[in-house]
Coordinates of all heavy atoms in Angstrom, one line a residue:
D548 N -20.1 24.9 -52.8 CA -18.8 24.2 -52.8 C -18.4 23.7 -51.4 O -18.7 24.4 -50.4 CB -17.7 25.3 -53.2 CG -17.9 25.7 -54.7 OD1 -18.7 25.1 -55.3 OD2 -17.2 26.7 -55.1
E549 N -17.8 22.5 -51.3 CA -17.4 22.0 -50.1 C -16.0 22.4 -49.8 O -15.5 22.0 -48.6 CB -17.6 20.4 -50.3 CG -18.9 19.9 -50.4 CD -19.1 18.5 -50.4 OE1 -18.0 17.7 -50.0 OE2 -20.1 17.9 -50.8
S550 N -15.2 23.0 -50.6 CA -13.9 23.5 -50.3 C -13.8 24.9 -51.0 O -14.6 25.4 -51.7 CB -12.8 22.5 -50.8 OG -13.0 22.5 -52.2
G551 N -12.5 25.5 -50.9 CA -12.3 26.8 -51.4 C -12.4 27.9 -50.6 O -12.3 29.1 -51.1
R552 N -12.6 27.8 -49.3 CA -12.7 28.9 -48.4 C -11.4 29.1 -47.5 O -11.5 30.1 -46.7 CB -14.0 28.8 -47.5 CG -15.2 28.8 -48.3 CD -16.4 28.6 -47.5 NE -17.6 28.5 -48.3 CZ -18.0 27.5 -49.0 NH1 -17.4 26.4 -49.1 NH2 -19.2 27.6 -49.8
G553 N -10.5 28.2 -47.6 CA -9.4 28.3 -46.6 C -8.6 29.5 -46.6 O -8.5 30.1 -45.5
L554 N -8.3 30.1 -47.7 CA -7.4 31.3 -47.8 C -8.3 32.5 -47.4 O -7.8 33.5 -46.9 CB -6.7 31.4 -49.1 CG -5.6 30.4 -49.4 CD1 -5.0 30.7 -50.7 CD2 -4.5 30.7 -48.3
T555 N -9.6 32.4 -47.8 CA -10.5 33.5 -47.4 C -10.6 33.6 -45.9 O -10.6 34.6 -45.3 CB -11.9 33.3 -48.0 OG1 -11.7 33.2 -49.4 CG2 -12.9 34.4 -47.6
L556 N -10.6 32.5 -45.2 CA -10.6 32.4 -43.7 C -9.3 33.0 -43.2 O -9.3 33.7 -42.2 CB -10.8 30.9 -43.3 CG -11.0 30.7 -41.8 CD1 -12.4 31.4 -41.2 CD2 -11.1 29.2 -41.6
V557 N -8.1 32.5 -43.8 CA -6.9 33.1 -43.5 C -6.8 34.5 -43.5 O -6.4 35.3 -42.6 CB -5.7 32.3 -44.2 CG1 -4.4 33.1 -43.9 CG2 -5.6 30.9 -43.8
D558 N -7.3 35.1 -44.6 CA -7.4 36.5 -44.9 C -8.3 37.3 -44.0 O -7.8 38.4 -43.4 CB -7.8 36.8 -46.3 CG -7.7 38.1 -46.8 OD1 -6.6 38.7 -46.6 OD2 -8.8 38.8 -47.1
A559 N -9.3 36.6 -43.5 CA -10.2 37.3 -42.5 C -9.7 37.3 -41.1 O -9.9 38.3 -40.4 CB -11.5 36.8 -42.7
L560 N -8.9 36.2 -40.8 CA -8.6 36.1 -39.4 C -7.2 36.5 -39.0 O -6.8 36.9 -37.9 CB -8.9 34.7 -38.8 CG -10.4 34.2 -38.9 CD1 -10.4 32.8 -38.5 CD2 -11.3 35.1 -38.0
A561 N -6.3 36.4 -40.0 CA -4.9 36.7 -39.7 C -4.7 38.3 -39.7 O -5.4 39.0 -40.5 CB -3.9 36.1 -40.7
D562 N -3.7 38.8 -39.1 CA -3.3 40.2 -39.1 C -2.6 40.5 -40.4 O -2.8 41.5 -41.0 CB -2.6 40.6 -38.0 CG -3.3 40.5 -36.6 OD1 -4.4 41.1 -36.6 OD2 -2.9 39.8 -35.7
K563 N -1.8 39.4 -40.8 CA -1.1 39.6 -42.1 C -1.0 38.1 -42.6 O -0.9 37.2 -41.8 CB 0.3 40.2 -41.9 CG 0.2 41.5 -41.6 CD 1.8 42.1 -41.4 CE 2.7 42.0 -42.5 NZ 4.0 42.6 -42.2
W564 N -0.8 37.9 -43.8 CA -0.5 36.6 -44.4 C 0.1 36.8 -45.9 O 0.0 37.9 -46.4 CB -1.7 35.7 -44.6 CG -2.7 35.8 -45.7 CD1 -3.7 36.7 -45.6 CD2 -2.7 35.2 -46.9 NE1 -4.3 36.8 -46.8 CE2 -3.7 35.8 -47.7 CE3 -1.9 34.3 -47.5 CZ2 -4.1 35.4 -49.0 CZ3 -2.1 33.8 -48.8 CH2 -3.2 34.4 -49.5
G565 N 0.8 35.8 -46.3 CA 1.4 35.9 -47.6 C 2.1 34.5 -48.1 O 1.9 33.6 -47.3
A566 N 2.6 34.5 -49.2 CA 3.2 33.4 -49.8 C 4.4 33.7 -50.6 O 4.2 34.8 -51.3 CB 2.2 32.6 -50.6
G567 N 5.3 32.8 -50.7 CA 6.5 33.2 -51.6 C 7.3 31.9 -51.9 O 7.0 30.8 -51.3
P568 N 8.2 32.0 -52.8 CA 9.0 31.0 -53.1 C 9.8 30.4 -51.8 O 10.1 31.3 -50.9 CB 10.0 31.4 -54.0 CG 9.4 32.5 -54.7 CD 8.5 33.2 -53.6
R569 N 10.0 29.2 -51.6 CA 10.7 28.6 -50.4 C 12.1 29.0 -50.5 O 12.8 29.0 -51.6 CB 10.7 27.1 -50.4 CG 11.4 26.5 -49.4 CD 11.3 25.1 -49.4 NE 12.1 24.4 -48.5 CZ 12.8 23.3 -48.9 NH1 12.5 22.6 -50.0 NH2 13.7 22.8 -48.1
E570 N 12.7 29.7 -49.5 CA 13.9 30.1 -49.3 C 14.9 29.0 -49.5 O 14.9 28.0 -48.7 CB 14.1 30.8 -48.0 CG 15.4 31.6 -47.9 CD 15.5 32.4 -46.5 OE1 14.6 33.2 -46.2 OE2 16.5 32.2 -45.9
G571 N 15.9 29.0 -50.5 CA 16.9 28.2 -50.6 C 16.5 26.8 -51.0 O 17.2 25.7 -51.0
G572 N 15.4 26.7 -51.7 CA 15.0 25.4 -52.3 C 13.7 25.4 -53.1 O 13.2 26.4 -53.5
I573 N 13.3 24.3 -53.5 CA 12.1 24.0 -54.3 C 10.9 24.2 -53.6 O 10.9 23.7 -52.3 CB 12.1 22.5 -54.9 CG1 13.4 22.4 -55.7 CG2 10.8 22.2 -55.7 CD1 13.6 20.9 -56.1
G574 N 9.8 24.9 -54.0 CA 8.6 24.9 -53.3 C 8.2 26.3 -53.0 O 8.8 27.3 -53.4
K575 N 7.4 26.4 -52.0 CA 6.8 27.6 -51.5 C 6.6 27.6 -49.9 O 6.6 26.5 -49.3 CB 5.5 28.0 -52.2 CG 4.3 27.1 -51.7 CD 3.1 27.5 -52.3 CE 2.0 26.5 -52.2 NZ 2.3 25.2 -52.7
T576 N 6.6 28.8 -49.4 CA 6.1 28.9 -48.0 C 4.9 29.9 -48.0 O 4.9 30.9 -48.6 CB 7.2 29.6 -47.2 OG1 8.4 28.6 -47.3 CG2 6.8 29.8 -45.6
V577 N 4.0 29.5 -47.2 CA 2.7 30.2 -47.0 C 2.7 30.5 -45.5 O 2.9 29.6 -44.7 CB 1.4 29.5 -47.4 CG1 0.1 30.4 -47.2 CG2 1.5 29.0 -48.8
W578 N 2.4 31.7 -45.1 CA 2.6 32.1 -43.7 C 1.4 33.1 -43.2 O 0.7 33.7 -44.1 CB 3.9 32.8 -43.5 CG 4.1 34.0 -44.3 CD1 4.7 33.9 -45.5 CD2 3.7 35.3 -44.0 NE1 4.7 35.2 -46.1 CE2 4.1 36.1 -45.1 CE3 2.9 35.9 -43.0 CZ2 3.8 37.5 -45.2 CZ3 2.7 37.3 -43.1 CH2 3.2 38.2 -44.2
F579 N 1.2 33.2 -41.9 CA 0.3 34.1 -41.3 C 0.9 34.6 -40.1 O 1.7 34.0 -39.5 CB -1.1 33.6 -41.2 CG -1.3 32.5 -40.2 CD1 -1.5 32.7 -38.9 CD2 -1.3 31.2 -40.6 CE1 -1.5 31.8 -37.9 CE2 -1.4 30.2 -39.7 CZ -1.5 30.4 -38.4
E580 N 0.4 35.8 -39.7 CA 0.9 36.4 -38.4 C -0.4 36.8 -37.7 O -1.4 37.2 -38.1 CB 1.6 37.7 -38.7 CG 3.0 37.3 -39.2 CD 3.9 38.5 -39.5 OE1 3.3 39.7 -39.3 OE2 4.9 38.5 -40.0
L581 N -0.3 36.6 -36.3 CA -1.3 37.0 -35.4 C -0.7 37.9 -34.2 O 0.4 37.5 -33.8 CB -2.0 35.8 -34.7 CG -2.7 34.8 -35.7 CD1 -3.2 33.7 -34.9 CD2 -3.9 35.6 -36.2
A582 N -1.3 39.0 -33.9 CA -0.7 39.9 -32.9 C -1.0 39.2 -31.6 O -1.9 38.5 -31.4 CB -1.4 41.2 -33.0
H583 N -0.2 39.5 -30.6 CA -0.3 39.0 -29.2 C 0.3 40.1 -28.3 O 0.8 41.1 -28.7 CB 0.3 37.7 -29.0 CG 1.8 37.8 -28.9 ND1 2.6 38.1 -28.1 CD2 2.7 37.5 -30.1 CE1 3.9 38.0 -28.4 NE2 3.9 37.6 -29.7
T584 N 0.3 39.8 -27.0 CA 0.7 40.8 -26.0 C 1.9 40.3 -25.2 O 2.2 41.1 -24.1 CB -0.3 41.2 -25.0 OG1 -0.9 39.9 -24.4 CG2 -1.6 41.8 -25.7
L585 N 2.7 39.3 -25.6 CA 3.7 38.8 -24.8 C 5.1 39.4 -25.2 O 5.2 40.0 -26.4 CB 3.9 37.3 -24.9 CG 2.8 36.6 -24.2 CD1 3.0 35.1 -24.4 CD2 2.7 36.9 -22.7

């Protein structure tokens, strides 16, 4: 397959990620978090 690995990559590299309905409107929001030291 030439595609279909994006979310697998996000799952592997992000500390956390998720998706949900867009707050206050049509659509969705997909997010990820990365830890840092600042």
Side-chain angles (χ1 to χ4, degrees):
D548 290 349
E549 293 184 18
S550 64
R552 294 174 181 82
L554 289 177
T555 301
L556 188 62
V557 172
D558 189 53
L560 297 178
D562 294 307
K563 287 173 63 176
W564 78 275
R569 181 175 160 220
E570 189 174 309
I573 297 168
K575 68 178 169 300
T576 299
V577 184
W578 55 269
F579 66 84
E580 294 179 355
L581 298 172
H583 68 80
T584 57
L585 295 182

